[in-house]
Amino acid sequence: MSEITNCKTGIERLLQVMKRLRDPEHGCPWDKEQTFATIAPYTIEEAYEVADAIAREDWPDLKGELGDLLFQVVFYAQMASEQHWYDFDAIAHAMADKLERRHPHVFAEGEYQSHEQLHQDWEKRKAAEREQRAQKRQQETVSLMDDIPLALPALMRAQKIQKRAASVGFDWPDVDGVFEKIHEELAELQQAMANQSAEEIEEELGDLLYSVVNLARHLGVKSETALANSNDKFVRRFQDMERTAAQKDRSLSEMNADALEQLWQQAKRNA
């Protein structure tokens, strides 16, 4: 324990704590049995909790959530070190190398011309990195879609896919084409409903959602953020309905459709 308490920095202490937790003889049984695959869901959960603390502007809570997220990286680094692949220090150096490589206008001789030029240069460097990774994997072709994570939320992943496709000109020239596509997909969904085919309905509904995400991208809106905001707005209004009903000693389940609609309209006015 003295080795841990004598650490000079917080990260050194955290790394030592993690090493102790994974110690084959004296470590924690739960931590010792974890793998990269079993920890991954926790990492996603912790990232969402960081985002939640930021959305709530709860800065004291954010400190703890950032610590939880950092712990995930430390956990992966310890497991990788046990396999003699790399350690936390190597991960940090690799990230620093990437940042310096992608920001020549800050760290090298590159010149800042415009935000658009920076974006183009950034995409070129990312494309070169994708090609290098493809060569290491001995892929015959390099795809723009190669490094879009499968685990991303569906709306966010759809927007990234569309952005990549648009980078080579595969895109609607203006928002009018997107609106036409939405109407087309809506008609196809209605036809699938008429056919009473559950598989077809799911497919067409997915196509409709994908087209709506495309509209968000053309309008410069992040679809994931837009839907999250709408979720929060609905919850606020619904809770307002519950409070109003409770003040009248009633529950929402006791009310008919007209009464619920009146409460909803009142909640919208209160928002």
Side-chain angles (χ1 to χ4, degrees), residues 90-103 107 129:
I91 294 171
H93 277 298
M95 189 67 237
D97 289 344
K98 181 187 291 186
L99 290 172
E100 290 181 0
R101 186 169 62 250
R102 290 185 174 180
H103 296 81
F107 299 103
E129 290 170 5

Side-chain angles (χ1 to χ4, degrees), residues 4-225:
I4 293 176
T5 56
N6 290 333
C7 290
K8 294 181 180 180
T9 67
I11 191 61
E12 288 176 340
R13 183 182 174 200
L14 182 56
L15 290 169
Q16 287 298 322
V17 167
M18 184 70 255
K19 185 175 181 180
R20 179 66 178 272
L21 289 173
R22 291 277 295 183
D23 183 88
E25 291 187 36
H26 306 292
C28 168
W30 186 88
D31 289 278
K32 288 192 296 182
E33 69 182 14
Q34 299 311 305
T35 66
F36 288 93
T38 61
I39 291 297
Y42 294 103
T43 307
I44 296 171
E45 180 180 337
E46 296 298 351
Y48 276 116
E49 291 181 1
V50 166
D52 178 67
I54 293 172
R56 291 184 285 105
E57 298 187 355
D58 189 337
W59 310 127
D61 189 41
L62 177 60
K63 175 184 175 182
E65 299 301 347
L66 288 172
D68 291 342
L69 187 58
L70 175 60
F71 179 67
Q72 300 297 304
V73 179
V74 169
F75 210 135
Y76 292 124
Q78 175 61 33
M79 290 189 290
S81 178
E82 293 165 4
Q83 298 296 325
H84 305 290
W85 295 340
Y86 40 78
D87 58 11
F88 183 88
D89 197 52
I91 294 171
H93 277 298
M95 189 67 237
D97 289 344
K98 181 187 291 186
L99 290 172
E100 290 181 0
R101 186 169 62 250
R102 290 185 174 180
H103 296 81
H105 56 289
V106 176
F107 299 103
E109 300 299 324
E111 295 183 358
Y112 174 85
Q113 297 176 341
S114 66
H115 287 297
E116 181 62 26
Q117 183 62 46
L118 282 179
H119 177 73
Q120 292 177 1
D121 291 344
W122 177 276
E123 292 299 330
K124 288 179 182 177
R125 283 187 287 273
K126 288 176 67 176
E129 290 170 5
R130 281 195 292 272
E131 186 170 355
Q132 290 175 354
R133 286 194 293 270
Q135 290 175 351
K136 289 181 180 179
R137 297 169 184 164
Q138 297 182 333
Q139 291 179 218
E140 293 183 2
T141 59
V142 181
S143 172
L144 280 172
M145 307 297 172
D146 279 345
D147 59 348
I148 300 177
L150 293 172
L152 280 177
L155 293 180
M156 191 181 299
R157 186 164 183 260
Q159 201 147 348
K160 281 185 174 290
I161 290 170
Q162 293 165 3
K163 183 180 178 182
R164 290 284 177 86
S167 70
V168 294
F170 190 65
D171 195 13
W172 299 104
D174 53 48
V175 74
D176 292 338
V178 184
F179 273 114
E180 290 177 8
K181 185 63 175 175
I182 289 175
H183 289 302
E184 175 187 325
E185 297 296 351
L186 183 58
E188 292 179 0
L189 175 59
Q190 292 172 323
Q191 181 59 53
M193 294 170 62
N195 296 340
Q196 297 184 340
S197 168
E199 183 177 344
E200 189 179 350
I201 288 172
E202 180 179 323
E203 179 181 351
E204 297 302 341
L205 181 59
D207 291 344
L208 177 60
L209 290 172
Y210 190 84
S211 296
V212 172
V213 172
N214 219 341
L215 176 62
R217 182 177 60 84
H218 274 264
L219 296 176
V221 174
K222 293 182 178 179
S223 53
E224 189 75 25
T225 302

Side-chain angles (χ1 to χ4, degrees), residues 200-257:
E200 189 179 350
I201 288 172
E202 180 179 323
E203 179 181 351
E204 297 302 341
L205 181 59
D207 291 344
L208 177 60
L209 290 172
Y210 190 84
S211 296
V212 172
V213 172
N214 219 341
L215 176 62
R217 182 177 60 84
H218 274 264
L219 296 176
V221 174
K222 293 182 178 179
S223 53
E224 189 75 25
T225 302
L227 182 56
N229 290 339
S230 290
N231 287 341
D232 293 341
K233 180 171 62 176
F234 181 89
V235 169
R236 287 195 306 271
R237 291 175 175 176
F238 190 84
Q239 290 173 337
D240 185 279
M241 293 171 62
E242 291 175 318
R243 286 191 295 270
T244 303
Q247 290 169 2
K248 300 177 181 179
D249 294 324
R250 301 186 66 187
S251 67
L252 297 183
S253 61
E254 299 171 347
M255 297 183 175
N256 60 30

